[in-house]
Amino acid sequence: MESMYDTVVTVTNIEKYFATVKAVDKLNFSIRKGEVFTLLGPNGAGKTSMVRMLLNIIRPDRGTIQYKIGSNSFPSPSDIGYLPEERGLYQDISVLKTLRYFGIIRGMERKHAEEKAMYWIERLGLKERIHEKIQSLSKGNQQKVQFIASILHAPSFAILDEPFSGLDPINQDLFTQIIRELTGNGTTVLLSAHQMQLVERIADRILLINKGREVLSGTLDQIRRLSDAGTKLTINLDGTVDLSKLSNHPSVQNIESINATNYVIYIKPDTGYGDLLTTLGTHFNVQSIHSGHMSLHDIFIKAIGTHE
Amino acid sequence: MKRLRLTLEVARWEFTRFYKLKNELKAAAYMIIIGTVAFFISFLIGRGADDKPELIIINDNMVAIDSTIYDHFEISYAQTGEIDSLIAWVGTGDADGLIVVRSIDDGELYIRNERAWMLQLEHLFTDFRRKSIIAKTDIPDETLETILQSFTIKTVFYDEDAAGGRIIERTFAIIFIIAMIFAVFIGFGYQFTAITGEKQQRITEQIVSAISPQTWIDGKIIGITGIGIATVLLYGTIVFFGILLVAQFFGPGFLTPLVYVNVWKIIAFLIVCLLGIILWNSFFAAVAATISDPNTSERSAFMMVPIIPVGFAFGALINPDSLIIKILGIFPLTSSSMLPARMMLTEVAVWEFLLAVLLLLLTIWFFRKSAAKIFTFGMLMYGKEPDIKEMWRWIRET
């Protein structure tokens, strides 16, 4: 299947140890040109170690990473953009000077870097702060500067580790929009994020890892199928509730109690829930009912729980 | 070529990040103002010191006191019967002191507090005692003068033409060593801030994903060496204009010794000192690469290391041609201060100079390589500093 697509990087049997801890354990994946590939996993799953190996900051103990960008075995700095999880900027330097410097070390000419920096500064609403020192900016605005630094030089491959952290919903939407624009212009994006709703909206493919190992991978639909993620019903009930009438129903996989009146019923995959609705109507005083797919959040929790 | 360009860009970034000419000029102006104020205060204190202390002498035994005492003190004489009232007078500060001369050998000084002139008074009375004893031996004044004369040595240099330049070259060598140490210490502060600061601010990961650690370290060494040199040049220029100003008062003859200067020797001093500054900056870069927090790390004590060879340089004054001094003049960690010291005191063979320069270059290369290696492995070690064994293993790894 992979051969149908132009791949940017192929990771084969990668392993990485830190002392006696196996941070990455035989990971295999490839990232296709122009897609948003998302690495998901709980804290300490090995995402950052994998990203650092992709950037050649640390080296794998076993396995190979093969790039297909440029003519060398490893892409040039101008081909790669990186927003690290560990945020850091020169606090005593102005916004424009910071971005110009990051552009230059990524291979841009001074003037071009400044022009591009000006464009992105304006685009992300930092025009008024252009000559201010980084330390005077809010966490969200510093995040914007760091984000610009990673895409300023229009890289072929952008690695964005937690790009949405510290941002309000409006700016999260703006970042999502920009990431989509980047992929539209041919940039490949490797995303690592915890904001599941945003990932659901933006990711073309997902790799879920835990303890350095692959748990699930594929498109969101593929992951839903692989994780046996069926439909869920969110219900609001009035009066005394006896859940045994529901939990024994053949269509019900699991029931989650949110509070005394609100419940989430997970339906077994490939089963209907018409009969369940009849049961609900017969035995309970249903105030409201919503049906929908299991969210990525639910899949994440379920898959990691199973893997543990 | 691309790597050189990036190295110079990093150097430029580090230089402009820390070196603000406007601030340096302001600092220099403040120093000049403070220096001028201090000079005038010292001048006023000096004038105050010219006021002679008032001293009362009780000399009932008629010990011979000659007139030289009037050059240093306002003198009045009194009798033993007045001693109690005179002591009270000293106590109120109306007189600076009361000396009761018991004999040619001893006496008592009554005083409120210790004063600098007490030593002078002791010297004067020692002199009166000596003269009094000699007077009793009936030695003629001319003979006494001859006895007290010191032995005179006139120095004649083998190369008399070079002798005129020796003083000025010695001055230049001392200036270069002081300037080098000044530049090195400026570099130390900035190097530690630049490297550990980036580590603390979590910038390193982003930087080294774009440029190699070697390019990054080299850029820092060049940029921060540049700051040290720029600061020395700024203050050097100020001192130069100060000298020109002094020359206005003392006439052009003040600068005449400059014609004796051996230009090649000055260039040699300059090369060695410049390499010395780069060497110590490379050393500091390697040390800083191992440090997480300079405020708590015991490795900050390494800043004192460059002082040690300067101390050795004073050893060259005793015997500049001894074997150990010759070796230290070539050894790369000491040559940048020892070689100029030797060059100003004795003849240094060309091979010694060339070998010292070669070893300096090799050591700079080793330090910068080590700094980059240690940094590469240690940059993601937050909160823990690598030990010597780990670092040595990293340096050896390709």
Side-chain angles (χ1 to χ4, degrees), chain B residues 246-259:
Chain B
V246 171
Q248 293 298 311
F249 292 105
F250 292 94
F254 179 74
L255 299 171
T256 306
L258 284 174
V259 299

Side-chain angles (χ1 to χ4, degrees), chain B residues 231 284 373:
Chain B
T231 309
F284 289 145
K373 288 256 178 76

Side-chain angles (χ1 to χ4, degrees), chain A residues 52 57-58 77 82 84 86-91 93 97-98 101-102 104-106 108 110 146 149, chain B residues 2 5-6 9-10 12-13 17 198 201-203 205-211 379-380 382 398:
Chain A
R52 284 174 178 164
I57 293 173
I58 56 173
Y82 179 40
E86 294 277 10
R87 299 285 188 267
L89 291 165
Y90 296 98
Q91 294 294 312
I93 307 287
K97 279 185 184 171
T98 300
Y101 179 59
F102 281 124
I104 289 169
I105 62 171
R106 287 275 178 203
M108 296 174 89
R110 182 170 294 270
Q146 195 127 25
Chain B
K2 196 176 171 188
R5 181 187 158 247
L6 276 175
E9 282 294 349
V10 176
R12 177 186 170 142
W13 171 260
R17 190 175 151 211
E198 278 184 12
Q201 290 176 14
R202 307 285 204 254
I203 303 171
E205 199 176 336
Q206 200 168 359
I207 299 288
V208 296
S209 71
I211 53 176
M379 68 179 167
L380 299 174
Y382 297 119
T398 52

Side-chain angles (χ1 to χ4, degrees), chain A residues 123-297:
Chain A
R123 177 87 194 270
L124 275 97
L126 291 171
K127 199 179 171 186
E128 309 301 318
R129 322 294 299 273
I130 193 165
H131 296 298
E132 285 183 31
K133 288 183 177 173
I134 297 291
Q135 63 197 12
S136 70
L137 303 183
S138 66
K139 195 181 165 193
N141 280 340
Q142 288 193 29
Q143 172 75 350
K144 286 182 186 177
V145 175
Q146 195 127 25
F147 180 69
I148 296 172
S150 65
I151 58 165
L152 182 72
H153 53 293
S156 317
F157 183 36
I159 298 176
L160 309 175
D161 204 349
E162 294 295 342
F164 307 112
S165 70
L167 293 178
D168 59 49
I170 294 168
N171 282 304
Q172 284 182 347
D173 272 358
L174 179 61
F175 271 38
T176 312
Q177 191 188 329
I178 291 170
I179 291 168
R180 268 291 161 221
E181 281 177 24
L182 289 172
T183 53
N185 292 329
T187 300
T188 306
V189 174
L190 171 64
L191 186 73
S192 169
H194 281 115
Q195 291 78 3
M196 300 295 174
Q197 283 177 321
L198 293 171
V199 172
E200 267 185 293
R201 278 167 50 193
I202 200 171
D204 293 313
R205 287 191 307 142
I206 294 164
L207 172 65
L208 177 60
I209 60 173
N210 187 34
K211 293 180 177 171
R213 287 184 192 168
E214 178 182 324
V215 178
L216 287 169
S217 69
T219 62
L220 191 57
D221 284 341
Q222 286 170 334
I223 279 182
R224 278 204 176 100
R225 278 200 298 278
L226 287 167
S227 63
D228 287 340
T231 309
K232 67 175 182 178
L233 299 177
T234 308
I235 54 171
N236 179 264
L237 305 175
D238 194 18
T240 312
V241 177
D242 178 11
L243 288 177
S244 61
K245 288 190 175 67
L246 287 176
S247 54
N248 294 329
H249 194 281
S251 298
V252 173
Q253 188 176 51
N254 184 30
I255 301 174
E256 189 182 308
S257 170
I258 298 169
N259 54 39
T261 54
N262 289 290
Y263 300 87
V264 179
I265 303 169
Y266 294 95
I267 312 295
K268 285 178 183 167
D270 305 323
T271 58
Y273 50 91
D275 184 57
L276 179 65
L277 291 177
T278 311
T279 309
L280 276 168
T282 311
H283 299 285
F284 300 95
N285 187 7
V286 180
Q287 298 295 305
S288 67
I289 186 162
H290 297 281
S291 70
H293 285 299
M294 268 174 75
S295 67
L296 188 58
H297 175 91

